[in-house]
Amino acid sequence: MANESTFLAGLNENQAAAVRQIEGPLLVIAGAGSGKTRVVTRRIAYILALQKAQPEEILAVTFTNKAAGEMRERVSELVGKTNSDKVVISTFHSFCLKILREHITLLGYRKNFTIASESDTRTLLSRALDDIENPEEAFSPGIFREQISLMKSSEVSDNFAMAVPAEESKEEAANREKYESWLPEIFDRYQSALRAANTVDFDDLLGLVLKLWKDHPEIRELF
């Protein structure tokens, strides 16, 4: 094993403690620019140096392609390219997409599913709104899109209540209630359109993997 100082150089006390803690779950809460990527990559290298896991047994996920690339580069500097290439370092959505490409048929989709762009989702919502017979007022597809995304992200696809601002005028309350009243139907129409086209939206990539793992624990064990 390389000298421990190799993995702890430049870290403060709390960061070093996070790197050393490799048994059981660990939650690190830190703000932007506080060294989270440094801690995660040093921790990966430390685990490998102690031979607590093989490179292919480690998964590191982050939010952007840029961050994933930076993480891979740092891991490579610490453990070498051969080992770092075996570590799964990805964005959340890319990792979930890979899983769905292999197993989405278990959820009733065809394997050649497509991913709806933001423009596609707005078009589908606009069509759903056009299908409403004689709506009394105009609606914004963007507001429905935002609420549906929030529902999917929170895994609560049957709660159609929208967030109530701390201060809400009567006009704003009426507008919110108007959207809430139509949201269940628009949600169903939108989801039906996606399924009919064998398409998922960006939020589905995460939600469908969670459903897959819950409904088919044998798939979860593969990862």
Side-chain angles (χ1 to χ4, degrees):
M1 171 182 167
N3 192 296
E4 189 179 73
S5 61
T6 302
F7 309 106
L8 304 181
L11 303 181
N12 62 36
E13 183 179 347
N14 289 331
Q15 290 172 332
V19 170
R20 288 195 185 100
Q21 174 57 40
I22 60 175
E23 298 292 340
L26 173 68
L27 172 65
V28 177
I29 300 176
S34 58
K36 295 186 296 298
T37 300
R38 183 186 305 118
V39 169
V40 170
T41 52
R42 298 285 185 87
R43 195 162 182 258
I44 291 172
Y46 193 59
I47 289 171
L48 293 176
L50 291 179
Q51 298 184 341
K52 293 292 185 178
Q54 295 300 311
E56 57 271 20
E57 295 174 326
I58 294 177
L59 167 66
V61 287
T62 185
F63 292 99
T64 66
N65 289 321
K66 180 180 178 181
E70 180 183 353
M71 192 178 293
R72 180 170 295 285
E73 183 178 335
R74 293 192 187 187
V75 171
S76 180
E77 291 173 354
L78 291 165
V79 304
K81 190 174 187 304
T82 299
N83 283 326
S84 69
D85 284 349
K86 296 177 183 178
V87 177
V88 180
I89 300 175
S90 173
T91 63
F92 287 96
H93 291 89
S94 293
F95 177 66
C96 289
L97 176 59
K98 178 182 178 182
I99 295 173
L100 292 176
R101 287 296 181 201
E102 297 178 14
H103 304 289
I104 199 170
T105 54
L106 293 172
L107 298 177
Y109 290 82
R110 299 188 300 279
K111 207 163 189 177
N112 63 338
F113 71 93
T114 58
I115 303 172
S117 67
E118 189 62 29
S119 175
D120 293 333
T121 61
R122 285 181 176 271
T123 297
L124 290 176
L125 286 168
S126 294
R127 290 175 180 171
L129 289 169
D130 289 341
D131 288 340
I132 296 175
E133 294 184 1
N134 300 319
E136 295 180 359
E137 299 180 75
F139 291 92
S140 166
I143 293 178
F144 282 115
R145 176 70 189 107
E146 180 181 0
Q147 186 61 23
I148 289 172
S149 180
L150 288 172
M151 291 166 59
K152 290 186 176 185
S153 298
S154 62
E155 293 186 83
V156 184
S157 58
D158 58 352
N159 180 4
F160 298 100
M162 299 173 67
V164 180
E167 295 183 6
E168 184 180 47
S169 66
K170 289 183 178 180
E171 181 180 350
E172 290 170 334
N175 189 59
R176 174 177 53 78
E177 290 168 1
K178 177 187 72 173
Y179 276 91
E180 284 180 344
S181 67
W182 282 102
L183 186 54
E185 181 171 350
I186 296 303
F187 181 84
D188 287 344
R189 288 174 179 267
Y190 172 69
Q191 285 302 108
S192 295
L194 287 176
R195 288 299 297 262
N198 195 42
T199 299
V200 301
D201 64 22
F202 205 56
D203 298 304
D204 287 329
L205 293 177
L206 305 183
L208 288 176
V209 167
L210 288 176
K211 178 174 175 55
L212 179 69
W213 283 349
K214 288 177 180 178
D215 294 351
H216 301 276
E218 72 278 9
I219 303 300
R220 186 175 67 237
E221 293 302 318
L222 298 176
F223 300 90

